[in-house]
Amino acid sequence: MTIRNADKDDGADRTEERLLHHAAELVATRGMRGLSITELARAAGVSRPTVYRRWESADEVLRALIAHRMQLVINAVGPQAADRAAIVGKVVRFGDLFHADALFGRLLSNEPEVFTRYAFQRIGRSQRVVLEWLAAAITAAQQGGTVRAGSATDMAVMVLLMSQSAVLSHKTVSTVIDDDALRTELAHALDGYLRP
């Protein structure tokens, strides 16, 4: 690859990052209905063809945005966990950061059906990002002996389902269990599931 191509790729990455940033702002302030190719191009100060070169529809933009934001939350959680206690702590922290994220908070509070459709009705990019993160951590913890033997991928799926349930049900159960107790119970459930 020549330097010129590398610069072009870097510029394309910066443009995509900028587009995703503006898409997140549109969704966080206006909801899913406020996200269109035209509005995104206007907000980012680019032409519509610039957006269409990356995504064919607002639906594709939102899918890319959710996967991107999932990765940002994972990055904010910190370095890869290497033992069961760290996995449990990071999964619980992921839930806290997820709720604090403006985009995810908006979707969970005001448009849960949209969030559910894009994030949880099928294994898409956003789930794969989380599953890869979990499977790598579980594999490392298995090698250290703090997580039981078995398929790291299968266990990652179950950890995702358990934590996803707690995240999505948070508002529903908030009248019967406070945030600290919910975190504690989720941590106990995850620890028990992963323990050798």
Side-chain angles (χ1 to χ4, degrees):
M1 176 185 276
T2 66
I3 291 173
R4 176 180 232 169
N5 287 339
D7 289 342
K8 185 178 179 184
D9 290 343
D10 188 43
D13 289 347
R14 283 194 304 265
T15 299
E16 187 163 313
E17 183 78 25
R18 192 167 96 231
L19 288 168
L20 289 171
H21 170 77
H22 286 287
E25 286 182 345
L26 286 169
V27 174
T29 58
R30 300 183 193 179
M32 177 54 193
R33 289 177 181 34
L35 179 63
S36 69
I37 298 296
T38 301
E39 284 299 314
L40 178 55
R42 183 177 300 134
V46 299
S47 66
R48 285 185 303 163
T50 298
V51 179
Y52 279 119
R53 277 194 288 276
R54 289 160 179 81
W55 306 290
E56 293 181 7
S57 65
D59 182 71
E60 285 187 14
V61 173
L62 189 60
R63 288 182 194 281
L65 177 59
I66 289 172
H68 176 71
R69 291 301 275 247
M70 286 283 195
Q71 187 62 61
L72 292 178
V73 172
I74 289 170
N75 293 348
V77 166
Q80 183 68 55
D83 61 36
R84 186 182 69 254
I87 292 170
V88 169
K90 287 179 183 291
V91 169
V92 171
R93 177 150 167 69
F94 179 92
D96 292 341
L97 292 172
F98 186 89
H99 277 284
D101 182 89
L103 172 74
F104 293 142
R106 163 69 189 229
L107 291 174
L108 284 172
S109 295
N110 300 343
E111 301 178 78
E113 70 289 346
V114 172
F115 185 79
T116 301
R117 183 175 76 235
Y118 285 98
F120 299 117
Q121 286 187 350
R122 65 180 181 79
I123 296 294
R125 279 180 51 199
S126 56
Q127 291 84 4
R128 291 193 192 287
V129 166
V130 176
L131 287 172
E132 288 170 10
W133 172 64
L134 288 170
I138 289 168
T139 298
Q142 285 174 323
Q143 292 167 355
T146 61
V147 167
R148 65 185 170 82
S151 166
T153 300
D154 292 351
M155 284 189 257
V157 168
M158 189 53 64
V159 169
L160 175 65
L161 290 173
M162 292 166 69
S163 56
Q164 196 172 264
S165 175
V167 167
L168 290 178
S169 301
H170 178 265
K171 189 174 179 180
T172 306
V173 299
S174 64
T175 59
V176 294
I177 187 170
D178 66 36
D179 290 349
D180 289 338
L182 184 61
R183 281 187 209 94
T184 298
E185 293 307 316
L186 176 59
H188 283 308
L190 293 169
D191 185 74
Y193 174 72
L194 294 169
R195 184 178 295 275

